[in-house]
Each structure stands twice: as structure tokens, then as C-alpha cells.
Amino acid sequence: MTSGPKLQASGAVNLGVAAHIAAASPGGPRYDSALTPAERSAQSNGIWLCQNCGKLIDSDVARYSEETLRHWKAGAEQRALTMLQTRAGAVGDPLVLALPQLDSLDSLLSFASTAVSRVGREDELGELKSFLRVDADFSWWLWTGAAGSGKSRLAIELCRAIAGGWHAGFLREGNQTALADFQPTRPTLIVVDYAAQRGEWLADALLRLSQRNLSAPVRVLILERSAQGPWWDSLQRVHRMEESFQIQACSYGLPRELEGLSRPESRSLIEAAARRAGAELTSTNVEDIADHAERMDPEGRPLFVLVATLDWLDDNGISADRDGALRRLAARMDGQTVQTGGSPSIRLVRNIRTFATALGGLSADDYAQLVQALTPPTALLPGIYSDFHPIPLDDLLDGVRPDILGELYVLDQLSAVGAGRIATMTLLKLAWQANQEAYRAFVERTAGDHKEHDCLVHLLDLGDWSVSKACARMAVDVIPLLQRSDHPVLDWIFSRLTSARQNTTDEAMDELIVTARFRRATLVLHEDDARRANALYTDALAVCDTEWPVRSDLLNNRGVTWRYLGDQQAARADFTSVVESPTATDERRACALNNRADIFDSEGDGSAAIRDRAAVLELAETTYNRRFIAHIRRARTLWKSGDRDGAYRDIESILSTPDIATEQKMSARLQRAEWLIETGSASRASSDLESVCASERNFDAVESRAREILSQLPEHSPE
């Protein structure tokens, strides 16, 4: 397949690409020169495109013409209006929420861009509006999805849709302390992005809001890649169960994963992006671009549909893969800087972009304080008053966006040789010193998006691990994100851990090494190699202190491998070891009890299974998932044993427990309805089935089954 139609002006400028070159530098007017190689200096193309109005301007007079000054003035006015609208609601509202409105001309790839209208997502937007309508003073909900799935775009669409009636927008880190004593004056929707780097603060905020009498409804929409890892445990307060109950009771539903676009939706987005770029596409062109997008990203994430479209419109042929297309964007971004600011500027611009990206973006105030506190080497970072006209320093402090592009940008800076690589490593070490939580979140995002990049390991190489245990823990936390047990970074991590252990007598390093071994074994388990995983768990247990929390994890997971291998007795022994351990947490003990009860059920020992489920429910500090599993599975065992009243009592307990998720409650209702029908009480079953079908929160399989059963009942059958 060849690349798309070439849109030329004066034989030089590709408008299809020129419309999006400023992807990582939002703000005022932009003049893009459609450079080809990344480092090529200013060319005599003759035509620049103004990003404010889309007009072509002669580059020879662009810096001095009245027309250019008018465009710059318009850009300044636009930026000022954007700032005012961003702070809309601040007067009379005690919480400043960001709601960018006029950045649409900067980049098709910006989540806040309105250059291309939203495609699809009607059902998802409807779900979010239902979240706002729930009858509760306070409620929160986590939406997850891989990079580029459209979480932030959907959130800002929701904010814009309810603006006026609601005070809605993104809560920036610089404003989050105001939430401590927040009392809304009207319905408020708070969007918290980059939640993984704000886990501790966010958990405190959710707890305080759950305890407060609010004068108006408050909703918190949380956005992150996935609901797992240390940040998620921290958010849920899994080791402080009384607080966890309060937080979970205010959760609207289970984490909601945002999926990609359908093929028809991808086509619509391709056509809209091409129209915005001034291109006319045939139906064959659209299908070719859709194929290119699917090769880049089989999940259909909208970001990569846009990237594929822009890549196809480039006049140098399509890129070989996803990273090639992203590198083309980064190259043009750097090329634009060279053209507008010159070679001396590009070094400082790259440095500030790298530093800011590694911290998830910075405010100008935060940057000024960090530069003063960290005292970076001379000329490594620009001063707060530096000017990279026409790219404001404030825009550079946002970092390179979208995230997946910024991550690759930083990794590629590490691929440089000599002084360039040394500078990048110094900047990453400064970022680690500045904000470890933000840097950890950046590394985890990068490992998830670019796990095969040759320089990934350098993000973890920040110093002596025997001195900086936090850095070693970050590396161990990255292990699950590598997703394969033979990943070369794994060997490097274990080598560094071993070296650090030789240089310290701290027992914490031994525990960290065992935790790393547990996580590698779990990667093997996920690869369906139960025998090898079993051996790795056994080897780790041989050197694991009985006081370390990871011991219970090793035993629970090894018990699972024994079950896969058909050795029920060995599995039961491992689960029993956790149950009887004086140092196991209630959560780990609950996991072992539920697992052992499953074995008893499979062996027909219902009484023993019921005892273990009851023991789970007697534990003081377990999460709602463990208790739901105990209730629903005990109910099924009781039903099989003939204790129908006991089974129904477990269902009622699920329905009356505040922190058990709505989806789980609907699953319990379906189970009860099936039992009622089995005993000839179809009319009573209808109430549960209708409740499931009417619920706005459901597992798909549960809702589908409920509708199927309901349609078969006499009073609901079609005439």
C-alpha cells in the first residue's frame, strides 16, 4: 500500500500533517514548516500554516508582517480566554477545576481538542450521566483503559455537557489541597487524572468526602490505566478496613474499562480527521487507513486511529509500525523547535520536555521551586523567565503529550550517545528527587506502553539500590508490567538486587528479592506453566522468612499451581498454612479460606466448605470481593445441601452490605431468581429479574441471562 494523497502548497507543505505538528506544545499561535528529518534546520519552503486560523503565511515575512502580528494577537487573546474559561466557576466555587475550551486548534491529538467531534461513546457517556444522577451526596467511580483509549476525552466531553448546571472539570495537583475543607455550593464533578501518582492524597480525599455532610452532590471520576498495583491498594485502604468500608460504600460501581472503537466508528473518525486536515479520501483510502490503524493497535484505541490517519497523510510514506508513526510526530515537533528557535534552543527545549514528561507535567510555580531546590547543573534546564518564542515555557512544562508519545520521546532521548544521554539521565535523577510518586507513575506507564524498548532499563538505573530502597522497590513493582518471564529487564533487575544485597546488611533487601521472585513466578503462572511456576514458588519459599507478608502470597499462589497439577492435598496444605499463620493478614487469610473451601466443595465436603466461608465472614479486615465470594459460594453450597433458607439469607446479606458492588448484587439477584424458578415461584423471581434488567450497573453476562429468563416467563412472553 502506498501513502495517501499529497496535499501541497507551493510545492512544499503537506497540510495534512501541518495541521497537527504542534501536538506537544499547546497554547497560542503556531507556525509549522512541515519539516521532514528531525534535525533539519530551517528550509525555504516558503509557506507556514497558522494554527489559529489555518491560513497560509509567507515564511519570509512571517516574523515581521502585520498579518503575523494579528495572528499572534489573536492567539494571545485566545489563550487569555482559555485561562478564564479554565477557571470558570472559581468565583463562588471554592474549588478551581480546569476545563480547557479553546485548545482545539493546537493538535488533533490533544484530549481536549474539539477540532474533530467525538465519535461514538454514546453509551459510555450515558453511563457517566447515570453516575451523576445516582441518589447519593457523594460517589466516586474509576474508569480505566490503556493509553489512547479516550478516557480523558470522554471525561472532558462529560464536563462540557453538564457545564452550567454543574461545576465540573479536572482537579490539578496544584489545587488539590483545597479539597480538604471543600464544601460545594452547587453540584460538582471532580475529574482526577494520573491517579496512580496521587494515590495517597486521593485516598484521603475520598475518605473525607465520604464522612462529610455535603450541601450539594459531589462526584469524583478517577482515570487511570488499570485497577491494580500499589496505587489501587492505597486508594482502597486495603490495610485499614474500617476506612476501606467507608470508601467502598461510596463507590458507584466496579472499575469500568473503556474499550476501543468499532470498525465503523474508526472509519468515521478517519474521515473527520482527514476533513480537518483538508484531505478528501476515497472509501478505499479510508479502509487502507483503518487497516493501518489496526496493525498499529488491534484494540481500536481512538488515539491510534488519529495517528494512523496523520501518518498516512504524510508525504514520506506510511510508517512501518506504531512507534515509527509516533517518532515521526516527535521528529516534526523537534524540527519545528529548530526552525522557530534555532539549534541552541532545541537542547534546552528537549531537556525541559524530558523533565516535565517524567513528572507528568508541572505548573510554572512548581517548576520555579524545583529549579531552586534541586540546583541542576548550569545550562541543563532553562530559567523560569526563559523564552522559546513562539513556544511558551508554560506549554513546555506540560510535557510531551499524549502520554504514549511522551514516554517514547524520553526513552529515545536515552538512546543518544555522549553528552545527550548523560543529560537525560541527570534529568531523570532530578525528576526522581523532585517527586518519587509522580516519577514512579511515569515509569509504570512507560513499562506498560513500551515494554520492549531497549532503554526501558535506564529508567530504573537511578543510583545505588543499597542506599535507595525506594528505587529498588520501584523496579520490583515494574516486574508484573513486563508481562513475560523471559524479559531481559528481569535479569537486569535481579542482578542489581543481588549486587545491592552484597552492599547492605538490611534485611529489607532480602524481603524485596523474595518479592521479586514471587512476581516472576506469577508471570510464569500467567503463561500457563503451572509446573515451572510451582518450582519457582517453592524455591522462593525456601528462603522466605515466616514473618514476611509475601510468604502468604507465595503459599496461596503455589496452592493454585498444585490444583492445576491435580494435587488437591498439597494445595489444601498450602492454603491451611496461610489460614493458620499468626502473621498473615485477614485479607490473605480470606483468600486462603475461599480457596480451601473450593477444594472442599469439589470433594463433596459441603460442611467443611461452609465452615471456611463462614470463617471469611468473621474476619475483621477483608475487602468486599472476598466477602462477596464467601457469601455467594456459601449460598450455593447451602442450596445444594438443602438449606434453602440459609442460601436466601446469604443473598440478602449481599444485597444489604453497602460496600459490595452493584454488579455483584445484581449477580446475587439473578442467582436467587433462578432458585425461585426452580422451586416454582416464577412470579417472585420476576421482581429480581426486573431489578437486574433495570439496573444501570451490571455484568454483561448477568444482564443477558436475566433478560433471557425473563422473556421465557409466561407473563413476559411476547403475544
Side-chain angles (χ1 to χ4, degrees), residues 173 194-199 224 231 359-361 435 437-438 441-442 445:
E173 288 192 58
Y194 291 101
Q197 68 187 54
R198 307 164 76 177
E224 195 39 83
W231 86 270
L359 289 170
N435 187 332
E437 193 172 12
F442 163 74
R445 290 193 298 269

Side-chain angles (χ1 to χ4, degrees), residues 562-573 598-599 602-603:
W562 285 128
R563 293 204 67 188
Y564 286 149
L565 296 171
D567 192 337
Q568 300 283 64
Q569 183 176 353
R572 186 163 57 245
D598 287 342
I599 294 176
S602 69
E603 295 175 340

Side-chain angles (χ1 to χ4, degrees), residues 447-464:
D449 291 335
H450 302 283
K451 61 182 63 67
E452 302 303 329
H453 197 288
D454 290 341
C455 292
L456 177 63
V457 68
H458 299 311
L459 299 181
L460 308 172
D461 192 13
L462 300 178
D464 186 348

Side-chain angles (χ1 to χ4, degrees), residues 432-682:
W432 171 254
Q433 294 173 40
N435 187 332
Q436 290 187 8
E437 193 172 12
Y439 184 80
R440 284 173 60 97
F442 163 74
V443 170
E444 290 174 7
R445 290 193 298 269
T446 305
D449 291 335
H450 302 283
K451 61 182 63 67
E452 302 303 329
H453 197 288
D454 290 341
C455 292
L456 177 63
V457 68
H458 299 311
L459 299 181
L460 308 172
D461 192 13
L462 300 178
D464 186 348
W465 287 12
S466 61
V467 175
S468 177
K469 300 292 191 305
C471 189
R473 280 193 293 272
M474 176 175 64
V476 173
D477 288 342
V478 162
I479 290 175
L481 300 171
L482 301 177
Q483 294 187 348
R484 60 184 178 95
S485 62
D486 61 347
H487 199 291
V489 171
L490 264 176
D491 292 336
W492 181 88
I493 290 173
F494 277 96
S495 175
R496 285 296 302 273
L497 288 171
T498 301
S499 176
R501 180 64 188 90
Q502 293 170 350
N503 295 322
T504 181
T505 58
D506 190 347
E507 189 182 76
M509 187 58 68
D510 289 328
E511 184 178 0
L512 201 55
I513 291 172
V514 172
T515 301
R517 295 174 70 174
F518 163 74
R519 289 177 177 170
R520 178 169 63 180
T522 302
L523 288 177
V524 174
L525 179 59
H526 290 162
E527 293 165 352
D528 296 326
D529 191 344
R531 190 168 301 280
R532 180 172 169 239
N534 181 282
L536 291 171
Y537 288 132
T538 299
D539 290 344
L541 279 164
V543 295
C544 182
D545 192 287
T546 57
E547 301 292 320
W548 296 343
V550 71
R551 183 174 184 274
S552 295
D553 296 330
L554 285 162
L555 287 166
N556 271 325
N557 279 22
R558 189 176 69 171
V560 171
T561 64
W562 285 128
R563 293 204 67 188
Y564 286 149
L565 296 171
D567 192 337
Q568 300 283 64
Q569 183 176 353
R572 186 163 57 245
D574 275 349
F575 297 142
T576 300
S577 292
V578 178
V579 171
E580 296 177 352
S581 169
T583 59
T585 64
D586 281 357
E587 180 70 0
R588 290 177 171 90
R589 189 174 288 111
C591 178
L593 284 163
N594 276 327
N595 285 338
R596 191 173 68 178
D598 287 342
I599 294 176
F600 289 136
D601 268 331
S602 69
E603 295 175 340
D605 191 348
S607 296
I610 289 169
R611 283 197 301 272
D612 274 358
R613 307 291 188 201
V616 172
L617 299 171
E618 291 169 1
L619 294 171
E621 297 192 343
T622 56
T623 59
Y624 67 96
N625 271 323
R626 305 294 182 204
R627 285 180 279 110
F628 169 73
I629 290 170
H631 271 305
I632 195 69
R633 293 184 185 175
R634 185 176 69 173
R636 289 167 182 160
T637 304
L638 289 167
W639 185 264
K640 283 178 62 178
S641 70
D643 186 354
R644 295 177 178 177
D645 289 341
Y648 286 139
R649 282 195 298 272
D650 267 332
I651 299 297
E652 285 295 339
S653 293
I654 291 171
L655 299 178
S656 63
T657 303
D659 67 323
I660 288 180
T662 301
E663 292 91 336
Q664 294 168 326
K665 292 179 179 180
M666 294 304 106
S667 178
R669 283 188 179 277
L670 173 63
Q671 179 65 86
R672 186 169 65 182
E674 290 177 327
W675 288 337
L676 288 168
I677 292 171
E678 181 182 327
T679 57
S681 301

Side-chain angles (χ1 to χ4, degrees), residues 355-369:
F355 183 67
T357 301
L359 289 170
L362 289 165
S363 69
D365 288 342
D366 288 341
Y367 178 69
Q369 293 174 17

